[in-house]
Amino acid sequence: MNPEARKPFIAGNWKMNKTVAEARKLALEIKNGTLNESDDVEILICPPFGSLYPVSEVLKGSAVKLGAQNCYWEKNGAFTGEMSPPMIRELGCDYTIVGHSERRSYFRETDEWVSKKARALLDVGVSPIVCVGEVLQDREGGRTNDVVRGQVLGSLDGLTSEDMLRVVLAYEPVWAIGTGKTASPEQAQEVHAFMRNILIDLYGLDVALRVRIQYGGSVKPENVTALMGQPDIDGALVGGASLEAASFLKLVSFKTGGID
Ligand code: PGA
């Protein structure tokens, strides 16, 4: 199958940033700035929970999609502070990020939790963006592949080939997140290819060639084009550079150089 079938996918993870008013303003700027974007790039923004509904209203009539940054796996019940996949769906989200390294480290999320969240999201028609990535000690100790393999196997546990066609993976080396240190395009490609090989083992070539794998970690207008030029890098999951319309819009137009 032609890898061109993997539509480039640029996603903004706003993390715990922006008030509702600021979120609406940024979403409107992104909506207006992408009106002429061709539909060969998929664009997603993931504001904090409290802004999902207001932003969904702003995005009406736009091709820009909405995503959440986390969820719990139960549908409802006594889980104080959590949001369920059906609630996220109702707010207009097509995607939800799961297993982000900040959730894995600060909130002790395990691969098992990530797989339960992915399952619960798929069950209500929301696509999970499943994040994996090694910390600096792992990379320096030559354990990147082992760590990434463990996270991929654990986080996708129980998902079928059919499920995988609705899952997006994100490789985010933890040492590159918010640090300004990007993995070089070659370093990122090496791990993306490794991940795709794991998918081939698990789901076969046809499915593996259709799963999109985003890169995340200090993606900026200056480096997006080189990263996106790698054969197994299908998109970007962007934190810092997604918080300003100007830089996010440059990322979205990576095909024309990404940068002014
Ligand atoms: P960053 O964050 O672009 O600020 O490095 C990426 C991410 O955490 O998804």
Side-chain angles (χ1 to χ4, degrees):
M1 165 157 208
N2 184 347
E4 286 302 312
R6 300 196 302 266
K7 187 172 180 172
F9 187 12
I10 307 292
N13 170 13
W14 295 1
K15 308 191 180 183
M16 199 174 71
N17 292 295
K18 307 290 176 190
T19 62
V20 173
E22 289 165 349
R24 287 179 59 98
K25 180 172 177 283
L26 178 55
L28 186 63
E29 287 166 354
I30 291 171
K31 175 183 174 172
N32 290 339
T34 52
L35 291 177
N36 298 325
E37 223 28 79
S38 67
D39 60 337
D40 45 317
V41 55
E42 188 168 355
I43 306 164
L44 174 73
I45 54 178
C46 302
F49 278 137
S51 293
L52 286 175
Y53 185 68
V55 167
S56 76
E57 299 226 290
V58 172
L59 292 182
K60 274 191 186 132
S62 159
V64 177
K65 293 184 178 160
L66 185 66
Q69 300 172 16
N70 179 37
C71 70
Y72 193 60
W73 59 79
E74 296 286 352
K75 287 194 173 60
N76 53 263
F79 303 102
T80 302
E82 295 297 298
M83 286 272 279
S84 75
M87 293 169 182
I88 285 169
R89 173 81 264 182
E90 191 186 11
L91 290 169
C93 293
D94 289 312
Y95 291 92
T96 295
I97 300 167
V98 290
H100 189 279
S101 66
E102 285 148 19
R103 298 224 47 100
R104 289 177 185 267
S105 65
Y106 303 143
F107 304 101
R108 302 279 179 269
E109 289 200 4
T110 61
D111 292 329
E112 189 193 346
W113 284 36
V114 176
S115 70
K116 285 182 169 180
K117 292 178 180 199
R119 172 77 273 149
L121 288 162
L122 287 163
D123 286 346
V124 296
V126 177
S127 287
I129 298 177
V130 177
C131 303
V132 300
E134 81 286 0
V135 297
L136 189 60
Q137 296 94 301
D138 293 327
R139 175 153 288 260
E140 289 178 346
R143 293 184 296 275
T144 298
N145 285 359
D146 287 347
V147 169
V148 167
R149 184 178 173 80
Q151 290 179 349
V152 170
L153 294 180
S155 304
L156 302 182
D157 188 36
L159 301 189
T160 65
S161 296
E162 207 179 307
D163 292 328
M164 276 318 288
L165 298 176
R166 296 188 291 135
V167 171
V168 175
L169 290 178
Y171 168 58
E172 299 205 303
V174 180
W175 48 271
I177 296 180
T179 58
K181 283 187 210 156
T182 327
S184 69
E186 295 73 26
Q187 275 175 323
Q189 164 60 24
E190 203 180 321
V191 181
H192 281 236
F194 175 72
M195 288 168 67
R196 202 172 303 284
N197 278 326
I198 300 173
L199 295 178
I200 294 174
D201 289 345
L202 293 175
Y203 301 104
L205 186 63
D206 180 52
V207 171
L209 288 181
R210 289 160 72 183
V211 176
R212 289 179 297 180
I213 309 177
Q214 295 176 318
Y215 169 79
S218 299
V219 177
K220 303 181 273 275
E222 293 79 2
N223 58 28
V224 67
T225 307
L227 287 161
M228 291 298 290
Q230 298 295 318
D232 288 290
I233 299 182
D234 308 310
L237 182 54
V238 187
S242 73
L243 295 174
E244 299 285 338
S247 54
F248 188 67
L249 292 171
K250 282 181 195 163
L251 292 172
V252 165
S253 57
F254 68 92
K255 281 200 176 145
T256 47
I259 175 167
D260 278 337

